[in-house]
Structures are given as C-alpha cells and as structure tokens.
Amino acid sequence: MKTLAAAALLVLSFCATVSGDEDTETAVTAQPGDVALLPCYTAGNVTPSLTTWIKDGREIVRGGGDSTPSPSAGTQRLAVLQDGRLNITQVVRGDEGIYLCTILLPGNNIYHGRVQLQVTSGPENVSLSITTATPLSNGTLIVFRGSTVSFNCSASSYPSQHLTWGFSGASPPNDTLLTGLGPWLEYRIENVQPGAQGVYSCTAHNTVSNQTVKKSTELLVYYAPDRHPECMWTPAQDPSHIYFNCTWFGAYPTPTLRWGENHDQQQWHEGHLYATEETDRLSMILNRTLLSDGQTLTCIGQHLARVPGHENSCSFTLKPPFPEGEPIATAVERDSITLTCSENISVPPASTTWRKGLQQEVIIPGPKYILSEEGPVLTLTIVNVSKEDEGFYFCRSENPLNVTELEVYLTVKTSSTYTGVIIGVFIAALIVGSTIIIAKTVYNNRHRICLGGGFGQMEDTGDVLDLVESDDEQIFHDTVPRLPPLPNGNHTTLVQIHRIPSNEYEDSESVDTSAQQEDTVQTDEPEELVTF
Ligand SMILES: *[C@@H]1O[C@H](CO)[C@@H](O)[C@H](O)[C@H]1NC(C)=O
Ligand SMILES: *[C@@H]1O[C@H](CO)[C@@H](O)[C@H](O)[C@H]1NC(C)=O
Ligand SMILES: *[C@@H]1O[C@H](CO)[C@@H](O)[C@H](O)[C@H]1NC(C)=O
Ligand SMILES: *[C@@H]1O[C@H](CO)[C@@H](O)[C@H](O)[C@H]1NC(C)=O
Ligand SMILES: *[C@@H]1O[C@H](CO)[C@@H](O)[C@H](O)[C@H]1NC(C)=O
Ligand SMILES: *[C@@H]1O[C@H](CO)[C@@H](O)[C@H](O)[C@H]1NC(C)=O
Ligand SMILES: *[C@@H]1O[C@H](CO)[C@@H](O)[C@H](O)[C@H]1NC(C)=O
Ligand SMILES: *[C@@H]1O[C@H](CO)[C@@H](O)[C@H](O)[C@H]1NC(C)=O
Ligand SMILES: *[C@@H]1O[C@H](CO)[C@@H](O)[C@H](O)[C@H]1NC(C)=O
Ligand SMILES: *[C@@H]1O[C@H](CO)[C@@H](O)[C@H](O)[C@H]1NC(C)=O
Ligand SMILES: *[C@@H]1O[C@H](CO)[C@@H](O)[C@H](O)[C@H]1NC(C)=O
C-alpha cells in the first residue's frame, strides 16, 4: 500500500492537483488508552499547509503547516501534528472507523488519505471457573464422580472474541470441546466419570487483533466405592496371634484406613487406635494380651469422596470359642461310634480339634478314627470300638482369645452282655413252652395217673393242682399232688418255675439261667413219671 501511495505521490508531483487514491488505506490498531497516530501523507518529508481530518462525513479536526495546532471542536484528545498526522491522545472504544484526511501540499497540491483505525482490547481478565469443584492446596481442582460439573470461561475482548474449551487427559486430547462467541462460554458434564480427569483449557481469541490468551486448570475426579471396607482375619502361625486385615479397593486417590476399637462420634478413645495408613489394604497383628471377650474391632475408611461416618467402616465383636455337644456317649464293642461337636460361636473362627485321653493327644485320622467337618459341626467316628477306647475325648477349640474344650466321656459295653440276654430269652421261652407241655400232658393222662382210684381220693382230700404265684419272687409254685407210691418206688417231685419278666432280662438273666436249668432237670422226672 505504501508502494501504491509512493506511486501516487510520483504522479502527484507531475500534476498540479492530484487526489489521493482512496485505495491507499492505512490500518492502525490501538488499544483503549493508547496514543494513536494516524498518518495521512506518508510519501515524503513535507510540511503541509493545511490538513483536515474527516470521520463519518464530519470534519473532526483541522490544522497543520506552521500554524499551531488548533484544538478541535470540543475534543482535546485530537490534534493534527505538523506533518499532518492525527494524534489521538487517549483512544477510547468507539474511535474505530475510517478516517479521511485532506492535505494541502506546497504548490497547491491536494492529497487525500484514508486510514482505518481499529480499537481492540483483550482478551483480558480471562477467567476459568469450575463449579462444585474444590481446590486443593496446590491449586488443582477436584470434583467427585457422579456430580454435575459446569465449566465457565469468561474473558473480555474488544470488539469481539471467540472462546474455546479444550481438554487433554487420558483419552486423546480434544482441543475443541466447545467453541462460541460471547463474553462467556459454559461447558457442562453431567454425571462426571474418571475419564473426564485431565487438564481443561479455555482459549480466548480476539477476532480483530488476533490475540489469543489461554488458561488451563487441572481437574481430578475423585471417587470411593459404594461398599464399605472389608474386615478379615488370618490366623498367624502362633495361634495366640491374629492378623486383622482391612481392605477398601476402588477408591481414588488412595484412602486412609484405620484399625482400632471403641470408636464413636468420629473419635478414637485414647490408645485404641492400632494402625493408620494411607493404603487400600491395612493389616495389623494382635496377640492374646490385647484381646478380650466382647471387644469390637473396627476398621474405618477415610476418603474425601465420602462423608465421614457414612457407612465407611466394618467391624467385628470377638467371642471366645464355645464347642457344644453331648458330654456322654455309650458304644458297644466292635461297633462304630460317632462323637459330635459344634463350634459356631467363636469370633474369629476357632481351630477345633479332637483329642483323646487326659493327656489330650491329638487324634490323627486313619482307619481307626474318621474325622469330618461340615460347617460348624465336627464329628469323630471311632471304628470297631474296643474296651481300650473307653475314656475321655476332648473337642478342643482355640481362637486367639482363648481355648475352650468340650469333654466327652465314652463308655464301652462288651458285646457278651448282649449274647447273655439272647440266651436268657431263649431259655425262658423254652421253660414256658415246657411247662405248657407238662401241664397239658398231665391233664391228658389224668386217667392213667389216677389208677387205683387215687384221683377220687385226691378230690376228697382237697389236694389239687395248685398254681401259686409268689408276689415277692415272682415264682410259680406248681404244687403237684403227692401221688400214691408206684410199684417201682418212684417219688413225685415239686416243680418250680422261675418266670423271668420280659422287662428284667438285662440284669437278672445270667443268675437265673442256672436256676432255671436246675428246674428243667427236675421237671424231667415228673414228666417221665406221668408218661410212664
Ligand atoms: C500526542 O499528544 C500527546 C498529548 O498531547 C503528547 O504527549 C504526545 O507527545 C503527542 N505525540 C506526538 C508524536 O507528538
Ligand atoms: C479486568 O479486571 C480488572 C480487575 O478485576 C478490572 O479492573 C477491569 O475492569 C477488568 N477489565 C475488563 C475489560 O472487564
Ligand atoms: C496437586 O496435588 C494433587 C494431589 O496431591 C496431584 O495429583 C496434582 O498433580 C498436583 N498438581 C500440581 C499442579 O502439582
Ligand atoms: C459465567 O461467568 C460469567 C462471568 O463471571 C457470568 O457472567 C456468567 O453468568 C457465567 N455463566 C454461567 C452459566 O454461570
Ligand atoms: C471433541 O469433543 C467434541 C465435543 O464433545 C466432539 O464433538 C468431538 O468429536 C471431539 N473430538 C475428538 C477428536 O475427540
Ligand atoms: C492470526 O494469527 C494466526 C496465527 O497466530 C495467523 O495465522 C493469522 O494469519 C492471523 N490473522 C490475522 C488477521 O492477523
Ligand atoms: C492379611 O495380612 C497378612 C499380613 O500382611 C497376610 O499374610 C495375609 O495373607 C492377609 N490375609 C488376607 C485374607 O488378606
Ligand atoms: C503382645 O503384644 C504386646 C504389645 O505389642 C506385647 O507387649 C506383648 O509382649 C505381646 N505378648 C506376647 C505373648 O507376644
Ligand atoms: C450352632 O450350631 C448348632 C448346630 O448346628 C445350632 O443348634 C445352634 O443354634 C447354633 N448356634 C448359633 C449361635 O448359631
Ligand atoms: C476289631 O478289633 C478287634 C480287636 O480289638 C480285632 O480282632 C478285629 O479284627 C477288628 N475287626 C475289624 C473288622 O477290624
Ligand atoms: C479363657 O478361658 C478361661 C476358662 O474359661 C477363663 O478362666 C479365662 O479368663 C479366659 N481368658 C480370657 C482371656 O478370656
């Protein structure tokens, strides 16, 4: 353009009156408050005799040459310099526009100039605000997963600006999430997720001056799992020690875990906080001296994303072991016997074992002993029980709190006792059967017995077949009448039957058996006699 102006000047020097080419436009950019100098005739070092500046078809100032610059009508800000330039002391918004100048050069040459003044400012006061975000001490902002985040970028630019939201995070950077014209630009994320974590930037671009200002901020998305921490225990090698583990996975950043007891109102009682660490897995080991019945151990998870005391803990109440079962058991020799013990009270779970004898030797499973465990129920089966198995058995339950035993006494009965019962029953049946036969035979042969008219004699004397039951001994006294002497000189016999009541087999049979056998021998005689 300057070249063009120079060319115009060249033409001008040859002509008497030359008009400046309207195309020779000069652009000037100024910020509000600046001093702006608008050139008119730039082709040479001349002093014009008169310069007139016109804006929007109105003369705004005139002056020049050797004459002192005349103050413009009502505006102190504008002055025409000696070389015809327009000096705008304090540019204000609204000064922008097309300025036309007319210069009267020496030799009555007239030159027309055209200047475009651009007034621009900014971008300034670029500000970036993220609502519902909390600043950390280092200025980084945090939001919590699931919340709605509103990003507002504002800036001032004159005359106009473009605002752009950009993002760079774990996902591929995106320089233009949103763009728009205006004093501010809002970008919203509903239900914010960890993927939205990263650096957010707002770029303000002045559309006229082409100036750009960029501001950015780091945003972290914090979260904690919805579930509470998990409390676990692991037995240590020494059974009087135990590991208490607490885990709380899935929180960002790493939570703080604390193990202690007697926690209330967010306060730990003096000396009852056992461990605290910034971790998602906290383990502590305690021994018997620190544990007691009914003690409650609590693990509390602490995280910015969770309101304190809001279901952030797990705990358990310690209980000593308590094995339960029948204290007495009876077995028959050569049979199997199963002893049962149930342990479901112990917290933490006890280690329960079967032991034998007052020395409490651990029972090792094998063909003799079968051990089984079904949930809280433990059983010990002793195979082919013998008299030596009689004695004490212990269901010994141990947890880190204490040791508790269930004592079981096993009685073993010999199988011969049972054989005796069977024999007794058999003999009793035999005797009852024999008696019936005798009675029947006697009755059937009464005519033979009464040979010699003895029977009639019997009736007369009142000697009858008399069954007497003794209340005390429960013995039948079968009084057989004294029969008249027979030619061979045999004598009659008294028959005694010891009746065994069915409910008394167990204790009396062995003693009675011999007596009955005696009786049986005796009965033979009269039987022979009667069948004679
Ligand atoms: C323009 O005007 C201001 C205020 O009157 C003055 O301070 C400044 O020196 C002037 N600029 C020139 C180049 O004369
Ligand atoms: C920019 O901020 C400053 C200080 O807050 C204020 O004085 C000024 O007016 C602001 N500028 C714009 C253009 O809003
Ligand atoms: C600010 O602190 C947080 C957490 O301590 C960290 O993740 C982040 O990188 C820090 N930011 C800067 C800019 O140092
Ligand atoms: C964004 O910020 C600007 C300047 O602080 C404010 O005027 C505008 O109301 C805000 N927009 C929203 C949606 O909050
Ligand atoms: C950047 O984000 C905008 C708005 O969320 C989306 O339309 C555009 O596809 C994204 N570009 C890239 C490269 O991810
Ligand atoms: C604005 O700036 C960019 C680079 O910053 C440049 O490529 C472009 O030509 C400029 N535009 C104007 C009108 O100056
Ligand atoms: C508990 O912590 C101890 C020690 O760190 C470890 O040996 C054990 O495996 C953990 N138990 C569980 C269930 O995580
Ligand atoms: C149990 O722990 C306490 C405290 O750590 C310790 O003083 C004590 O000696 C330990 N006792 C045993 C038997 O390990
Ligand atoms: C323990 O188990 C036994 C047998 O399974 C059951 O009768 C008893 O009610 C249980 N006790 C508790 C406290 O669960
Ligand atoms: C049972 O034990 C006895 C000795 O006590 C033995 O003689 C017998 O063979 C055993 N029976 C079985 C089936 O093991
Ligand atoms: C362990 O059990 C015994 C017997 O029941 C009891 O005397 C003792 O006080 C218990 N010890 C603890 C620490 O509970």
Side-chain angles (χ1 to χ4, degrees), residues 240-241 287-290:
S240 68
H241 285 67
N287 69 25
R288 201 162 276 175
T289 56
L290 294 166

Side-chain angles (χ1 to χ4, degrees), residues 65-94:
D66 301 320
S67 63
T68 47
S70 67
S72 67
T75 314
Q76 301 283 318
R77 294 191 300 120
L78 306 176
V80 178
L81 300 180
Q82 262 189 335
D83 57 3
R85 285 184 295 173
L86 175 63
N87 181 351
I88 305 176
T89 311
Q90 276 229 305
V91 172
V92 293
R93 290 177 185 186

Side-chain angles (χ1 to χ4, degrees), residues 41-47 83:
Y41 178 72
T42 53
N45 192 10
V46 292
T47 305
D83 57 3

Side-chain angles (χ1 to χ4, degrees), residues 333-334 368 383-388:
E333 238 179 354
R334 284 165 203 265
K368 177 75 183 169
V383 179
N384 190 15
V385 172
S386 68
K387 202 69 187 167
E388 285 130 50

Side-chain angles (χ1 to χ4, degrees), residues 172-178 187:
N174 190 340
D175 288 334
T176 36
L177 288 170
L178 189 65
Y187 178 66

Side-chain angles (χ1 to χ4, degrees), residues 484-500:
L486 289 169
N488 61 1
N490 273 340
H491 289 273
T492 57
T493 321
L494 175 72
V495 178
Q496 276 194 347
I497 297 170
H498 190 163
R499 193 184 68 180
I500 304 149

Side-chain angles (χ1 to χ4, degrees), residues 289-441:
T289 56
L290 294 166
L291 304 173
S292 58
D293 184 4
Q295 183 181 24
T296 298
L297 291 169
T298 307
C299 170
I300 293 190
Q302 203 177 46
H303 196 272
L304 274 177
R306 291 288 286 264
V307 180
H310 196 259
E311 297 290 316
N312 296 344
S313 65
C314 58
S315 65
F316 44 80
T317 301
L318 304 180
K319 287 257 169 276
F322 192 71
E324 291 173 282
E326 285 299 323
I328 289 170
T330 308
V332 178
E333 238 179 354
R334 284 165 203 265
D335 268 5
S336 293
I337 176 86
T338 298
L339 309 180
T340 304
C341 170
S342 150
E343 171 60 78
N344 52 0
I345 286 180
S346 171
V347 178
S351 145
T352 308
T353 49
W354 280 103
R355 291 168 189 243
K356 181 182 192 296
L358 294 171
Q359 256 57 50
Q360 295 209 1
E361 293 158 37
V362 177
I363 290 174
I364 294 151
K368 177 75 183 169
Y369 299 108
I370 300 162
L371 299 176
S372 90
E373 201 173 336
E374 219 171 274
V377 181
L378 279 97
T379 59
L380 163 66
T381 303
I382 307 167
V383 179
N384 190 15
V385 172
S386 68
K387 202 69 187 167
E388 285 130 50
D389 293 324
E390 195 163 80
F392 283 104
Y393 289 82
F394 295 92
C395 175
R396 184 181 188 274
S397 214
E398 175 166 21
N399 83 356
L401 242 66
N402 213 339
V403 180
T404 315
E405 284 146 4
L406 166 72
E407 202 178 89
V408 182
Y409 189 80
L410 175 67
T411 311
V412 177
K413 288 197 163 185
T414 51
S415 44
S416 61
T417 314
Y418 281 76
T419 317
V421 171
I422 292 158
I423 291 168
V425 171
F426 174 75
I427 289 166
L430 195 70
I431 291 164
V432 172
S434 311
T435 313
I436 292 164
I437 291 164
I438 292 163
K440 212 177 169 190
T441 315

